[in-house]
């Protein structure tokens, strides 16, 4: 009879510089996504860039930044950089 154990030490969001950088990119994208959505909903301009957005452009920016955030968090959690190990 065999026994199987799975040991997981949790998410490795801060183990290596690659994971840290990917987590930072994910957090920035996650914070910026609602800004795009709200700015597009208000038909106003982005505070730093100065680009005027409508509801369609704001929704597209929100979805793109949400995709970047999810991808960065998955990369931070499950990928190993391969450098320095």
């Amino acid at each position: 009879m065999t026994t199987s154990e799975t040991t997981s030490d949790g998410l490795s969001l801060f183990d290596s510089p690659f994971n840290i950088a990917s987590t930072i990119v994910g957090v920035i994208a996650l914070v910026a996504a609602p800004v795009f959505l709200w700015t597009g909903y208000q038909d106003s301009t982005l505070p730093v860039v100065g680009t005027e957005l409508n509801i369609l452009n704001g929704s597209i920016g929100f979805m793109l930044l949400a995709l970047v955030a999810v991808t960065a968090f998955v990369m931070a959690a499950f990928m190993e950089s391969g450098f320095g190990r």
Side-chain angles (χ1 to χ4, degrees):
M1 187 168 2
T2 61
T3 59
S4 175
E5 290 185 28
T6 38
T7 58
S8 176
D9 54 350
L11 298 176
S12 58
L13 296 178
F14 301 106
D15 283 352
S16 69
F18 174 79
N19 298 88
I20 294 170
S22 185
T23 301
I24 290 171
V25 168
V27 167
I28 291 171
L30 194 63
V31 169
V35 171
F36 267 78
L37 187 64
W38 183 253
T39 305
Y41 179 72
Q42 294 294 323
D43 282 334
S44 62
T45 60
L46 284 171
V48 177
V49 182
T51 306
E52 189 171 336
L53 298 177
N54 56 15
I55 189 79
L56 181 64
N57 292 340
S59 299
I60 291 169
F62 172 77
M63 289 188 291
L64 181 65
L65 283 173
L67 176 69
V68 168
V70 167
T71 304
F73 283 130
V74 168
M75 287 173 58
F78 298 112
M79 289 186 68
E80 293 182 8
S81 65
F83 301 114
R85 289 196 183 215

Coordinates of all heavy atoms in Angstrom, one line a residue:
M1 N 0.8 -1.2 0.0 CA 0.0 0.0 0.0 C 0.9 1.2 0.0 O 1.9 1.3 0.7 CB -0.9 0.0 1.2 CG -1.9 1.1 1.1 SD -3.3 1.3 2.2 CE -3.4 0.1 3.4
T2 N 0.5 2.2 -0.8 CA 1.3 3.4 -0.8 C 0.6 4.6 -0.2 O -0.7 4.6 -0.1 CB 1.6 3.8 -2.3 OG1 0.3 4.1 -2.9 CG2 2.3 2.7 -3.0
T3 N 1.3 5.5 0.3 CA 0.7 6.7 0.9 C 1.1 7.9 0.1 O 2.3 7.9 -0.4 CB 1.2 6.9 2.4 OG1 2.6 7.0 2.4 CG2 0.7 5.7 3.2
S4 N 0.3 8.8 0.0 CA 0.5 10.0 -0.8 C 0.3 11.2 0.1 O -0.7 11.3 0.8 CB -0.4 10.0 -2.0 OG -0.2 11.3 -2.7
E5 N 1.3 12.0 0.1 CA 1.2 13.3 0.9 C 1.5 14.5 0.0 O 2.4 14.4 -0.9 CB 2.2 13.3 2.0 CG 1.9 12.4 3.1 CD 2.8 12.5 4.3 OE1 3.3 13.7 4.4 OE2 3.1 11.6 5.0
T6 N 0.7 15.5 0.1 CA 1.0 16.7 -0.6 C 1.3 17.7 0.5 O 0.5 18.0 1.4 CB -0.2 17.2 -1.4 OG1 -1.4 16.9 -0.7 CG2 -0.3 16.5 -2.8
T7 N 2.5 18.3 0.3 CA 2.8 19.4 1.2 C 3.0 20.6 0.4 O 3.6 20.7 -0.7 CB 4.2 19.1 1.9 OG1 5.2 18.9 0.9 CG2 4.1 17.8 2.8
S8 N 2.3 21.7 0.9 CA 2.4 22.9 0.2 C 2.7 24.0 1.2 O 2.1 24.1 2.3 CB 1.0 23.3 -0.4 OG 1.1 24.5 -1.0
D9 N 3.7 24.8 0.9 CA 4.1 25.8 1.8 C 3.5 27.1 1.5 O 3.9 28.2 1.9 CB 5.7 26.0 1.8 CG 6.2 26.2 0.5 OD1 5.5 26.0 -0.5 OD2 7.4 26.5 0.4
G10 N 2.4 27.1 0.8 CA 1.6 28.3 0.5 C 2.1 28.9 -0.8 O 2.9 28.4 -1.6
L11 N 1.5 30.1 -1.1 CA 1.9 30.8 -2.3 C 3.3 31.4 -2.1 O 3.6 31.9 -1.0 CB 0.9 31.9 -2.6 CG -0.6 31.4 -2.8 CD1 -1.5 32.6 -3.0 CD2 -0.6 30.5 -4.0
S12 N 4.0 31.4 -3.1 CA 5.4 32.0 -3.0 C 5.5 33.3 -3.7 O 6.2 33.6 -4.6 CB 6.4 31.0 -3.7 OG 6.0 30.8 -5.0
L13 N 4.7 34.3 -3.1 CA 4.6 35.6 -3.7 C 5.9 36.4 -3.4 O 6.2 37.4 -4.1 CB 3.4 36.3 -3.2 CG 2.1 35.7 -3.6 CD1 0.9 36.6 -3.0 CD2 1.9 35.6 -5.1
F14 N 6.6 36.1 -2.4 CA 7.8 36.9 -2.0 C 9.1 36.1 -1.8 O 9.9 36.4 -1.1 CB 7.5 37.6 -0.7 CG 6.3 38.5 -0.8 CD1 5.1 38.2 -0.2 CD2 6.3 39.7 -1.5 CE1 4.0 39.0 -0.3 CE2 5.2 40.6 -1.6 CZ 4.1 40.2 -1.0
D15 N 9.2 35.0 -2.6 CA 10.3 34.1 -2.4 C 11.6 34.6 -3.2 O 12.7 34.5 -2.7 CB 10.0 32.7 -2.9 CG 9.2 31.9 -1.8 OD1 9.0 32.5 -0.7 OD2 8.7 30.8 -2.2
S16 N 11.4 35.1 -4.4 CA 12.5 35.5 -5.2 C 12.2 36.9 -5.8 O 11.1 37.4 -5.7 CB 12.8 34.5 -6.3 OG 11.7 34.6 -7.2
P17 N 13.3 37.6 -6.3 CA 13.0 38.9 -6.9 C 12.0 38.8 -8.1 O 11.2 39.7 -8.3 CB 14.4 39.3 -7.4 CG 15.3 38.6 -6.6 CD 14.7 37.3 -6.2
F18 N 12.0 37.7 -8.8 CA 11.0 37.5 -9.9 C 9.6 37.5 -9.3 O 8.7 38.2 -9.8 CB 11.2 36.2 -10.6 CG 10.2 35.9 -11.6 CD1 10.2 36.5 -12.9 CD2 9.2 35.0 -11.4 CE1 9.2 36.2 -13.8 CE2 8.2 34.7 -12.3 CZ 8.2 35.3 -13.5
N19 N 9.3 36.8 -8.2 CA 8.0 36.7 -7.6 C 7.6 38.1 -7.0 O 6.5 38.5 -7.1 CB 8.0 35.6 -6.5 CG 8.3 34.3 -7.1 OD1 9.4 33.9 -7.2 ND2 7.3 33.6 -7.4
I20 N 8.6 38.8 -6.4 CA 8.3 40.1 -5.8 C 7.9 41.1 -6.9 O 6.9 41.8 -6.8 CB 9.5 40.6 -5.0 CG1 9.7 39.7 -3.8 CG2 9.3 42.0 -4.6 CD1 11.0 39.9 -3.0
A21 N 8.7 41.1 -8.0 CA 8.4 42.0 -9.1 C 7.0 41.7 -9.7 O 6.2 42.6 -10.1 CB 9.5 42.0 -10.1
S22 N 6.7 40.4 -9.9 CA 5.4 40.1 -10.5 C 4.3 40.4 -9.6 O 3.2 40.9 -10.0 CB 5.4 38.6 -10.8 OG 4.3 38.2 -11.4
T23 N 4.4 40.3 -8.3 CA 3.4 40.7 -7.3 C 3.2 42.2 -7.4 O 2.0 42.6 -7.3 CB 3.8 40.2 -5.9 OG1 4.0 38.8 -5.9 CG2 2.7 40.6 -4.9
I24 N 4.3 43.0 -7.5 CA 4.1 44.4 -7.5 C 3.4 44.8 -8.8 O 2.5 45.7 -8.7 CB 5.5 45.1 -7.4 CG1 6.1 44.9 -6.0 CG2 5.5 46.5 -7.8 CD1 7.5 45.3 -5.9
V25 N 3.7 44.2 -9.9 CA 3.0 44.5 -11.2 C 1.5 44.2 -11.0 O 0.6 44.9 -11.5 CB 3.6 43.8 -12.3 CG1 2.8 43.8 -13.6 CG2 5.0 44.3 -12.6
G26 N 1.2 43.1 -10.4 CA -0.2 42.7 -10.2 C -1.0 43.6 -9.3 O -2.1 44.0 -9.6
V27 N -0.3 44.1 -8.2 CA -1.0 45.1 -7.3 C -1.2 46.4 -8.0 O -2.3 47.0 -7.9 CB -0.1 45.2 -6.0 CG1 -0.6 46.4 -5.2 CG2 -0.2 44.0 -5.2
I28 N -0.2 46.9 -8.8 CA -0.4 48.1 -9.5 C -1.5 48.0 -10.5 O -2.3 48.9 -10.6 CB 0.9 48.6 -10.1 CG1 1.9 49.0 -9.1 CG2 0.7 49.7 -11.1 CD1 3.3 49.2 -9.6
A29 N -1.5 46.9 -11.3 CA -2.6 46.8 -12.3 C -4.0 46.6 -11.6 O -5.0 47.1 -12.1 CB -2.3 45.5 -13.1
L30 N -4.0 46.0 -10.4 CA -5.3 45.8 -9.7 C -5.8 47.1 -9.2 O -7.0 47.4 -9.1 CB -5.1 44.8 -8.6 CG -6.3 44.2 -7.9 CD1 -7.1 43.4 -9.0 CD2 -6.0 43.3 -6.8
V31 N -4.9 48.0 -8.8 CA -5.3 49.3 -8.3 C -5.7 50.2 -9.5 O -6.7 51.0 -9.3 CB -4.2 50.0 -7.5 CG1 -4.4 51.4 -7.2 CG2 -4.0 49.2 -6.2
A32 N -5.0 50.1 -10.6 CA -5.3 51.0 -11.7 C -6.5 50.6 -12.5 O -7.1 51.5 -13.2 CB -4.1 51.0 -12.7
A33 N -7.0 49.4 -12.4 CA -8.1 48.9 -13.2 C -9.4 49.7 -12.8 O -10.1 50.1 -13.7 CB -8.3 47.4 -13.1
P34 N -9.8 49.8 -11.6 CA -11.0 50.5 -11.3 C -10.9 52.0 -11.6 O -11.9 52.6 -11.9 CB -11.2 50.3 -9.7 CG -10.4 49.2 -9.4 CD -9.3 49.1 -10.4
V35 N -9.7 52.6 -11.6 CA -9.5 54.0 -12.0 C -9.9 54.1 -13.4 O -10.6 55.1 -13.8 CB -8.1 54.4 -11.7 CG1 -7.8 55.8 -12.3 CG2 -7.7 54.4 -10.2
F36 N -9.5 53.2 -14.3 CA -9.9 53.3 -15.7 C -11.4 53.2 -15.9 O -12.0 53.9 -16.6 CB -9.2 52.2 -16.5 CG -7.9 52.6 -17.1 CD1 -6.7 52.6 -16.4 CD2 -7.8 52.9 -18.5 CE1 -5.6 53.0 -16.9 CE2 -6.6 53.2 -19.1 CZ -5.5 53.3 -18.3
L37 N -12.0 52.2 -15.1 CA -13.4 52.0 -15.2 C -14.2 53.3 -14.8 O -15.1 53.7 -15.4 CB -13.8 50.8 -14.4 CG -15.3 50.4 -14.6 CD1 -15.6 49.9 -16.0 CD2 -15.6 49.2 -13.6
W38 N -13.8 53.8 -13.6 CA -14.5 55.0 -13.1 C -14.3 56.2 -14.0 O -15.2 57.0 -14.2 CB -14.0 55.3 -11.7 CG -14.8 56.4 -11.1 CD1 -14.3 57.7 -10.8 CD2 -16.1 56.4 -10.7 NE1 -15.3 58.4 -10.3 CE2 -16.4 57.7 -10.2 CE3 -17.2 55.5 -10.7 CZ2 -17.7 58.1 -9.7 CZ3 -18.4 55.8 -10.2 CH2 -18.6 57.1 -9.7
T39 N -13.1 56.4 -14.5 CA -12.8 57.5 -15.3 C -13.6 57.4 -16.6 O -14.1 58.4 -17.1 CB -11.3 57.6 -15.7 OG1 -10.6 57.7 -14.4 CG2 -11.0 58.9 -16.4
G40 N -13.7 56.3 -17.2 CA -14.5 56.1 -18.4 C -16.0 56.3 -18.1 O -16.7 56.8 -19.0
Y41 N -16.5 55.9 -17.0 CA -17.9 56.0 -16.6 C -18.2 57.5 -16.5 O -19.3 58.0 -16.8 CB -18.2 55.3 -15.3 CG -19.6 55.5 -14.8 CD1 -20.6 54.8 -15.5 CD2 -19.9 56.2 -13.7 CE1 -21.9 54.9 -15.1 CE2 -21.2 56.4 -13.3 CZ -22.2 55.7 -14.0 OH -23.5 55.9 -13.5
Q42 N -17.3 58.3 -16.0 CA -17.5 59.7 -15.8 C -17.2 60.6 -17.0 O -17.4 61.8 -17.0 CB -16.6 60.2 -14.6 CG -16.9 59.7 -13.3 CD -18.2 60.1 -12.8 OE1 -18.6 61.3 -13.0 NE2 -18.9 59.2 -12.1
D43 N -16.7 60.0 -18.1 CA -16.3 60.7 -19.3 C -15.4 61.8 -19.0 O -15.5 62.9 -19.5 CB -17.6 61.3 -20.0 CG -18.3 60.2 -20.8 OD1 -17.7 59.2 -21.2 OD2 -19.5 60.4 -21.0
S44 N -14.3 61.5 -18.2 CA -13.3 62.5 -17.9 C -12.0 62.0 -18.3 O -11.8 61.0 -19.0 CB -13.4 62.8 -16.4 OG -13.0 61.6 -15.6
T45 N -10.9 62.7 -17.9 CA -9.6 62.4 -18.3 C -8.8 61.7 -17.2 O -9.1 61.9 -16.0 CB -8.8 63.7 -18.7 OG1 -8.7 64.5 -17.5 CG2 -9.5 64.5 -19.8
L46 N -7.9 60.9 -17.6 CA -7.0 60.2 -16.6 C -6.2 61.2 -15.9 O -5.6 62.1 -16.5 CB -6.1 59.2 -17.3 CG -6.8 57.9 -17.7 CD1 -5.9 57.0 -18.6 CD2 -7.3 57.1 -16.5
P47 N -6.0 61.1 -14.6 CA -5.2 62.1 -13.9 C -3.8 62.4 -14.3 O -3.4 63.5 -14.4 CB -5.3 61.6 -12.4 CG -6.4 60.6 -12.4 CD -6.5 60.1 -13.8
V48 N -3.0 61.4 -14.6 CA -1.6 61.6 -14.9 C -1.4 61.7 -16.4 O -0.6 62.5 -16.9 CB -0.8 60.4 -14.3 CG1 0.7 60.5 -14.7 CG2 -0.9 60.4 -12.8
V49 N -2.0 60.8 -17.1 CA -1.8 60.7 -18.6 C -2.5 61.8 -19.3 O -2.0 62.4 -20.3 CB -2.2 59.4 -19.1 CG1 -2.0 59.2 -20.6 CG2 -1.6 58.2 -18.3
G50 N -3.7 62.2 -18.9 CA -4.5 63.2 -19.6 C -5.3 62.8 -20.7 O -5.9 63.6 -21.5
T51 N -5.4 61.5 -20.9 CA -6.3 60.9 -22.0 C -7.7 61.0 -21.6 O -8.1 60.5 -20.5 CB -5.8 59.5 -22.3 OG1 -4.4 59.5 -22.6 CG2 -6.6 58.9 -23.5
E52 N -8.6 61.5 -22.5 CA -10.0 61.5 -22.2 C -10.6 60.1 -22.6 O -10.4 59.6 -23.6 CB -10.7 62.6 -23.0 CG -12.1 62.8 -22.6 CD -12.7 64.1 -23.2 OE1 -12.0 65.0 -23.6 OE2 -13.9 64.1 -23.3
L53 N -11.4 59.6 -21.6 CA -12.0 58.3 -21.8 C -13.5 58.4 -21.9 O -14.1 59.2 -21.2 CB -11.6 57.3 -20.7 CG -10.1 57.0 -20.5 CD1 -9.9 56.2 -19.3 CD2 -9.5 56.4 -21.7
N54 N -14.1 57.5 -22.7 CA -15.5 57.3 -22.6 C -15.8 55.9 -22.0 O -14.9 55.3 -21.5 CB -16.2 57.4 -24.0 CG -15.6 56.5 -25.0 OD1 -14.9 55.5 -24.6 ND2 -15.8 56.7 -26.3
I55 N -17.1 55.6 -21.9 CA -17.4 54.3 -21.2 C -16.8 53.1 -21.9 O -16.4 52.2 -21.2 CB -18.9 54.2 -21.0 CG1 -19.3 53.0 -20.1 CG2 -19.6 54.0 -22.4 CD1 -19.2 53.3 -18.7
L56 N -16.7 53.1 -23.2 CA -16.1 52.0 -23.9 C -14.6 51.8 -23.7 O -14.1 50.8 -23.3 CB -16.4 52.1 -25.4 CG -15.9 50.9 -26.3 CD1 -16.6 49.6 -25.9 CD2 -16.1 51.3 -27.7
N57 N -13.9 53.0 -23.8 CA -12.5 52.9 -23.5 C -12.2 52.6 -22.1 O -11.2 51.9 -21.8 CB -11.8 54.3 -23.9 CG -11.9 54.5 -25.4 OD1 -12.0 53.6 -26.2 ND2 -11.8 55.8 -25.7
G58 N -13.0 53.1 -21.2 CA -12.7 52.8 -19.8 C -13.0 51.3 -19.5 O -12.2 50.7 -18.7
S59 N -14.0 50.7 -20.1 CA -14.2 49.3 -19.9 C -13.1 48.4 -20.5 O -12.7 47.4 -19.9 CB -15.6 48.9 -20.5 OG -16.6 49.6 -20.0
I60 N -12.6 48.8 -21.6 CA -11.6 48.1 -22.3 C -10.3 48.2 -21.4 O -9.6 47.2 -21.2 CB -11.3 48.6 -23.7 CG1 -12.5 48.2 -24.6 CG2 -10.0 48.0 -24.3 CD1 -12.5 48.8 -25.9
G61 N -10.0 49.3 -20.9 CA -8.8 49.5 -20.1 C -8.9 48.7 -18.8 O -8.0 48.1 -18.3
F62 N -10.2 48.7 -18.2 CA -10.4 47.9 -17.0 C -10.2 46.4 -17.3 O -9.5 45.7 -16.5 CB -11.8 48.1 -16.5 CG -12.2 47.2 -15.4 CD1 -11.8 47.5 -14.1 CD2 -13.0 46.1 -15.6 CE1 -12.2 46.6 -13.1 CE2 -13.4 45.3 -14.6 CZ -13.0 45.5 -13.3
M63 N -10.7 45.9 -18.3 CA -10.5 44.5 -18.6 C -9.1 44.1 -18.9 O -8.6 43.1 -18.5 CB -11.5 44.0 -19.8 CG -12.9 44.0 -19.4 SD -14.0 43.3 -20.7 CE -13.9 44.6 -21.9
L64 N -8.4 45.0 -19.7 CA -7.0 44.7 -20.0 C -6.1 44.7 -18.7 O -5.3 43.8 -18.5 CB -6.5 45.8 -20.9 CG -5.0 45.6 -21.4 CD1 -4.9 44.3 -22.2 CD2 -4.6 46.8 -22.2
L65 N -6.3 45.7 -17.8 CA -5.6 45.8 -16.6 C -6.0 44.6 -15.6 O -5.1 44.1 -14.9 CB -5.7 47.1 -15.9 CG -4.9 48.2 -16.6 CD1 -5.3 49.6 -15.9 CD2 -3.4 48.0 -16.5
A66 N -7.2 44.2 -15.6 CA -7.6 43.1 -14.8 C -6.9 41.8 -15.3 O -6.5 40.9 -14.5 CB -9.1 42.9 -14.8
L67 N -6.8 41.6 -16.6 CA -6.1 40.5 -17.2 C -4.6 40.5 -16.8 O -4.1 39.5 -16.5 CB -6.3 40.5 -18.7 CG -5.5 39.4 -19.5 CD1 -6.1 38.0 -19.2 CD2 -5.5 39.6 -21.0
V68 N -4.0 41.7 -16.9 CA -2.6 41.8 -16.5 C -2.4 41.5 -15.0 O -1.5 40.8 -14.7 CB -2.1 43.2 -16.8 CG1 -0.8 43.5 -16.2 CG2 -2.0 43.4 -18.3
A69 N -3.4 41.9 -14.2 CA -3.3 41.6 -12.8 C -3.4 40.2 -12.5 O -2.6 39.6 -11.7 CB -4.3 42.4 -12.0
V70 N -4.4 39.5 -13.1 CA -4.5 38.1 -12.8 C -3.3 37.3 -13.3 O -2.8 36.4 -12.7 CB -5.9 37.6 -13.5 CG1 -5.9 36.1 -13.5 CG2 -7.0 38.2 -12.8
T71 N -2.9 37.6 -14.5 CA -1.7 36.9 -15.1 C -0.5 37.1 -14.2 O 0.3 36.2 -13.9 CB -1.4 37.5 -16.5 OG1 -2.6 37.3 -17.3 CG2 -0.3 36.7 -17.1
A72 N -0.2 38.3 -13.7 CA 0.9 38.6 -12.9 C 0.8 37.9 -11.5 O 1.8 37.3 -11.0 CB 1.0 40.1 -12.6
F73 N -0.4 37.8 -10.9 CA -0.5 37.0 -9.7 C -0.3 35.5 -9.9 O 0.3 34.8 -9.1 CB -1.9 37.3 -9.0 CG -1.9 38.6 -8.3 CD1 -3.0 39.5 -8.6 CD2 -1.0 39.0 -7.4 CE1 -3.0 40.7 -7.9 CE2 -1.0 40.2 -6.8 CZ -2.1 41.1 -7.0
V74 N -0.8 35.0 -11.0 CA -0.6 33.6 -11.3 C 0.9 33.3 -11.5 O 1.5 32.3 -11.0 CB -1.4 33.1 -12.5 CG1 -1.0 31.8 -13.0 CG2 -2.9 33.1 -12.2
M75 N 1.6 34.2 -12.2 CA 3.0 34.1 -12.4 C 3.8 34.1 -11.1 O 4.7 33.4 -10.9 CB 3.5 35.2 -13.4 CG 3.2 35.0 -14.8 SD 3.6 36.3 -15.9 CE 5.4 36.4 -15.6
A76 N 3.4 35.1 -10.2 CA 4.0 35.2 -8.9 C 3.8 34.0 -8.1 O 4.7 33.6 -7.3 CB 3.6 36.4 -8.2
A77 N 2.7 33.4 -8.2 CA 2.3 32.3 -7.3 C 2.9 30.9 -7.7 O 3.3 30.1 -6.9 CB 0.8 32.2 -7.1
F78 N 3.0 30.7 -9.0 CA 3.3 29.4 -9.5 C 4.5 29.2 -10.3 O 5.0 28.1 -10.6 CB 2.1 28.8 -10.3 CG 0.8 28.7 -9.5 CD1 -0.3 29.5 -9.7 CD2 0.8 27.8 -8.4 CE1 -1.4 29.4 -9.0 CE2 -0.3 27.7 -7.7 CZ -1.4 28.5 -7.9
M79 N 5.1 30.3 -10.8 CA 6.3 30.2 -11.6 C 7.6 30.4 -10.8 O 7.6 31.2 -9.9 CB 6.3 31.2 -12.8 CG 5.2 30.9 -13.8 SD 5.3 32.0 -15.3 CE 6.8 31.5 -16.0
E80 N 8.6 29.7 -11.2 CA 9.9 29.9 -10.6 C 10.8 30.6 -11.6 O 10.8 30.3 -12.8 CB 10.5 28.6 -10.2 CG 9.8 27.9 -9.1 CD 10.4 26.6 -8.7 OE1 11.6 26.3 -9.2 OE2 9.8 25.8 -7.9
S81 N 11.5 31.5 -11.2 CA 12.3 32.3 -12.1 C 13.5 31.5 -12.7 O 13.9 31.7 -13.8 CB 12.9 33.6 -11.4 OG 13.8 33.2 -10.4
G82 N 14.1 30.6 -12.0 CA 15.2 29.9 -12.5 C 16.5 30.5 -12.3 O 17.6 30.0 -12.5
F83 N 16.5 31.8 -11.8 CA 17.7 32.5 -11.6 C 18.1 32.4 -10.1 O 17.3 32.6 -9.3 CB 17.6 34.0 -12.0 CG 17.3 34.1 -13.5 CD1 16.0 34.7 -13.8 CD2 18.2 33.8 -14.4 CE1 15.7 34.8 -15.2 CE2 17.9 34.0 -15.8 CZ 16.6 34.5 -16.1
G84 N 19.3 32.2 -9.8 CA 19.8 32.2 -8.5 C 19.4 31.0 -7.6 O 19.5 31.0 -6.4
R85 N 19.0 29.9 -8.2 CA 18.6 28.7 -7.4 C 19.5 27.6 -7.8 O 19.8 27.3 -8.9 CB 17.1 28.4 -7.6 CG 16.3 29.4 -6.9 CD 14.9 28.8 -6.8 NE 14.1 29.9 -6.2 CZ 13.1 29.7 -5.3 NH1 12.8 28.5 -5.0 NH2 12.4 30.6 -4.9

